[in-house]
């Protein structure tokens, strides 16, 4: 029998603790990394490759278990888009991509880790895929901030908000065409999430814009260059 994931269970809290420890370890060692640039680039690209491989294996698993369909398997969730951008960032170091990964990536991945839309638990592959990719988004954004000297800007908030609002009507159209619910633009998650505090459909979408901007501003104030 496949292990079912239970939100706020011991497994869930243990997973969150692992993320907290990883962030703490990255922060505490931020000034002690003395690896040559060539080796750092190799590590970055190997990590990007591991994220890509994990995502490919996830889609292979979806196909093998007859779970793949156009309505919920395309990489159109916020964290799926952030994962693609994270891989691009690790390969290119592009500062425009960094803005999106830092704001949308951290904001979306933290919410996903706190209230996962996940059915299978440890030690199933889906559990490891979900948390490895979400941890990867967060850790990459923090790595580029603490180790490589990138800094979020207020202009980056505006660019990220514009990018998200350009994506929203496109993804909504895909939802209508394929009867999907990417980025929860048609309904809230069944098992509960932070969206439950943002009002009924469709008003929670507008509320989410305000919350996203607020979260982005908090991230900017916390990590901006002083």
């Amino acid at each position: 029998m496949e292990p079912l994931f239970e939100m706020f269970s011991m497994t869930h809290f243990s997973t969150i603790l692992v993320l907290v420890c990883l962030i703490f370890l990255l922060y505490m060692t931020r000034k002690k990394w003395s690896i040559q640039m060539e080796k750092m680039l190799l590590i970055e690209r190997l990590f990007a490759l591991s994220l890509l491989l994990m995502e490919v294996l996830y889609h292979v698993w979806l196909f093998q278990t007859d779970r793949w369909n156009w309505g919920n398997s395309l990489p159109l969730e916020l964290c799926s888009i952030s994962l693609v951008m994270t891989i691009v960032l690790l390969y290119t170091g592009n500062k425009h991509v960094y803005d999106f990964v830092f704001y949308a990536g951290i904001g979306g991945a933290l919410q996903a880790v706190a209230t996962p839309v996940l059915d299978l638990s440890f030690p199933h592959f889906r559990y490891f895929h979900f948390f490895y990719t979400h941890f990867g988004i967060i850790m990459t954004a923090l790595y580029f901030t603490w180790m490589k000297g990138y800094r979020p800007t207020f202009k980056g908030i505006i660019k990220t908000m514009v990018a998200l609002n350009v994506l929203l009507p496109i993804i909504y159209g895909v939802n209508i065409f394929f009867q999907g619910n990417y980025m929860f633009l048609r309904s809230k998650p069944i098992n509960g999430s932070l969206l439950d505090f943002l009002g009924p459909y469709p008003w929670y979408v507008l509320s989410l814009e305000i919350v996203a901007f607020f979260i982005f501003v908090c991230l900017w104030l916390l990590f901006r260059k002083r």
Side-chain angles (χ1 to χ4, degrees):
M1 183 177 179
E2 294 181 330
L4 300 179
F5 185 84
E6 183 180 346
M7 197 181 301
F8 306 132
S9 63
M10 185 58 67
T11 299
H12 186 196
F13 282 122
S14 298
T15 306
I16 293 175
L17 180 60
V18 169
L19 176 61
V20 172
C21 290
L22 288 173
I23 293 173
F24 179 76
L25 182 63
L26 186 68
Y27 179 77
M28 294 303 294
T29 60
R30 69 193 186 283
K31 296 181 179 179
K32 299 179 181 179
W33 289 41
S34 58
I35 304 175
Q36 294 179 352
M37 181 63 69
E38 292 79 6
K39 292 183 179 179
M40 289 302 299
L41 289 174
L42 177 61
I43 292 173
E44 290 167 13
R45 291 178 179 180
L46 287 175
F47 184 56
L49 184 61
S50 75
L51 292 171
L52 178 60
L53 179 61
M54 185 66 84
E55 187 68 7
V56 170
L57 289 175
Y58 170 60
H59 284 272
V60 170
W61 172 73
L62 288 176
F63 273 110
Q64 289 181 337
T65 56
D66 291 326
R67 292 175 178 236
W68 201 99
N69 65 74
W70 294 100
N72 61 26
S73 303
L74 296 174
L76 295 179
E77 301 290 0
L78 178 59
C79 288
S80 299
I81 297 169
S82 296
L83 179 63
V84 173
M85 299 297 278
T86 297
I87 293 170
V88 172
L89 175 61
L90 286 164
Y91 265 91
T92 67
N94 186 284
K95 291 188 176 182
H96 298 294
V97 177
Y98 164 79
D99 286 329
F100 189 92
V101 173
F102 182 84
Y103 289 117
I106 291 181
L110 284 178
Q111 188 273 334
V113 170
T115 56
V117 181
L118 182 64
D119 54 349
L120 299 172
S121 188
F122 179 89
H124 196 277
F125 164 76
R126 172 57 176 148
Y127 166 88
F128 287 105
H129 163 265
F130 183 91
F131 287 108
Y132 184 77
T133 53
H134 285 84
F135 284 16
I137 294 169
I138 297 168
M139 298 301 290
T140 297
L142 295 178
Y143 162 77
F144 271 83
T145 303
W146 288 333
M147 272 66 173
K148 304 204 73 171
Y150 288 47
R151 285 297 177 192
T153 62
F154 191 81
K155 184 178 179 180
I157 295 177
I158 304 302
K159 289 191 294 184
T160 303
M161 292 297 296
V162 169
L164 290 174
N165 280 279
V166 169
L167 286 171
L168 285 181
I170 298 172
I171 294 174
Y172 186 78
V174 173
N175 283 338
I176 297 298
F177 189 80
F178 290 118
Q179 294 298 299
N181 189 32
Y182 295 111
M183 291 182 67
F184 307 114
L185 294 180
R186 297 184 70 197
S187 64
K188 299 178 185 179
I190 298 174
N191 296 327
S193 74
L194 298 179
L195 297 181
D196 293 334
F197 299 98
L198 301 182
Y201 178 86
W203 301 110
Y204 71 84
V205 177
L206 179 60
S207 301
L208 191 58
E209 293 256 7
I210 299 171
V211 171
F213 183 78
F214 175 76
I215 292 174
F216 295 170
V217 169
C218 289
L219 288 171
W220 170 64
L221 290 173
L222 187 61
F223 289 94
R224 66 190 171 127
K225 186 176 182 179
R226 290 175 172 80

